[in-house]
Amino acid sequence: MSTIKERLANDSEPIKLLIKCYQSPGDILLLSAAIRDLHISYPNKFITDVRTPCVNIFENSPYITALDDDDPDCILLDAGYPLIHQSNQGSHHFIHGFRMDLEEKLGIPIKAGDMKGDIHLTDTEKGWISQIKEIEGNDIPFWIIDAGSKSDYTAKQWEIARFQELVYQLPEITFVQIGSPEHRHPQLFGDNLINLIGQTDLRQFIRLMYWAAGVITPVSFPMHLAAAVEVHPMYKRKSRPCIVIAGGREPSHWEAYPNHAYLHSCGKLSCCD
């Protein structure tokens, strides 16, 4: 059987890839970057589709085409990021994990693209009013605050009382609290806080991020989305401010994005050594 490299050199027909990954939304968002980089590295050489629990991340993507699971011409590929096992020793960012996994499994080099997930908002989506305007009646600047965590990695959780203190000490900022009801998201309170816990599906959250002035979050999906989604023109910024309360779980070079304030305790405490 011909290798992928041989088929790229000889075949005129694009190679069909059905990529599977059933991990969390933040992981799937970074998979979107690897698929983007594959297509940019090999224009018109691949047809790709995904099987994930977060298909809305790929909505409007020019790199996704519907494929049939039973198509005998499809190559099935389970995507992962084994690079994470070198995160304490190497100098790679998480975004390279899926790309390097595709390189290994396909046997071809893939050039790294933009250091952000691949999100595509249509002009129609950008033209819709935000959930905050629906509530407040006008487009006020706001910061998204993620004060929760999943139960599998509790080391990501900052003390909820500190999140509450933050809201109280910054009354001039409107905070919008988000979170999935499936995870631990204790409700915050304040005259400057809008509670949207459990009130956004994945695509609604992406659109909410488009309207957000900034983000405060642990290491979680919102930090990756803050880097991936373009900033609304009213803010006159190229990048969205994001404060990541990271603790001591992962090395900063593995998670932090350019222009993010990444607050960590790695190397500062014996439990974070």
Side-chain angles (χ1 to χ4, degrees):
M1 183 180 292
S2 299
T3 65
I4 296 293
K5 184 179 292 187
E6 290 170 338
R7 290 181 62 181
L8 288 173
N10 301 320
D11 288 1
S12 57
E13 291 295 319
I15 298 168
K16 297 179 181 179
L17 285 182
L18 188 55
I19 301 172
K20 298 182 179 183
C21 184
Y22 297 97
Q23 301 193 54
S24 300
D27 300 341
I28 303 301
L29 180 55
L30 297 192
L31 172 62
S32 72
I35 294 173
R36 172 203 66 205
D37 294 349
L38 173 69
H39 280 271
I40 292 175
S41 296
Y42 301 95
N44 305 314
K45 294 293 186 179
F46 288 93
I47 297 174
T48 52
D49 197 5
V50 293
R51 297 292 181 269
T52 82
C54 311
V55 293
N56 295 117
I57 285 175
F58 298 92
E59 195 171 313
N60 309 313
S61 171
Y63 308 120
I64 299 298
T65 303
L67 292 173
D68 190 333
D69 291 67
D70 298 322
D71 186 341
D73 293 328
C74 273
I75 297 174
L76 301 180
L77 192 152
D78 289 314
Y81 47 95
L83 185 67
I84 193 172
H85 301 302
Q86 303 171 37
S87 59
N88 276 309
Q89 293 80 37
S91 57
H92 287 103
H93 189 273
F94 187 4
I95 201 165
H96 300 299
F98 282 110
R99 178 184 60 81
M100 294 173 71
D101 185 54
L102 289 182
E103 284 186 324
E104 176 71 22
K105 289 172 179 174
L106 296 175
I108 55 174
I110 301 172
K111 185 178 179 180
D114 292 340
M115 194 174 170
K116 60 182 181 179
D118 192 55
I119 292 289
H120 296 268
L121 283 165
T122 65
D123 290 338
T124 300
E125 286 181 296
K126 295 176 187 177
W128 292 341
I129 66 172
S130 72
Q131 285 177 275
I132 304 310
K133 185 173 183 178
E134 290 177 348
I135 296 169
E136 297 293 320
N138 54 59
D139 287 321
I140 59 173
F142 64 90
W143 278 61
I144 289 172
I145 186 166
D146 174 11
S149 66
K150 296 186 295 181
S151 59
D152 54 352
Y153 291 116
T154 54
K156 291 184 176 184
Q157 180 65 57
W158 198 37
E159 187 180 357
I160 193 66
R162 294 180 181 272
F163 277 112
Q164 184 61 70
E165 183 181 2
L166 184 67
V167 172
Y168 284 152
Q169 289 194 2
L170 297 172
E172 71 279 8
I173 294 178
T174 297
F175 290 102
V176 176
Q177 188 179 6
I178 54 83
S180 168
E182 300 174 5
H183 306 309
R184 180 179 180 270
H185 286 275
Q187 184 178 338
L188 302 175
F189 298 93
D191 293 337
N192 57 329
L193 185 127
I194 299 171
N195 177 16
L196 287 185
I197 297 173
Q199 299 180 54
T200 57
D201 62 25
L202 185 52
R203 199 67 194 177
Q204 287 173 324
F205 184 41
I206 290 171
R207 292 196 295 268
L208 185 70
M209 184 65 73
Y210 172 67
W211 288 92
V215 180
I216 298 176
T217 178
V219 174
S220 191
F221 179 51
M223 70 167 285
H224 299 294
L225 200 62
V229 177
E230 62 186 284
V231 184
H232 192 283
M234 69 178 178
Y235 296 118
K236 297 181 173 60
R237 293 182 59 99
K238 292 181 180 180
S239 62
R240 177 178 292 101
C242 182
I243 300 170
V244 182
I245 304 165
R249 183 168 174 266
E250 293 136 322
S252 58
H253 66 258
W254 174 254
E255 291 282 2
Y257 288 89
N259 301 322
H260 282 193
Y262 191 88
L263 311 180
H264 70 90
S265 53
C266 292
K268 301 174 185 178
L269 303 169
S270 59
C271 59
C272 309
D273 191 14

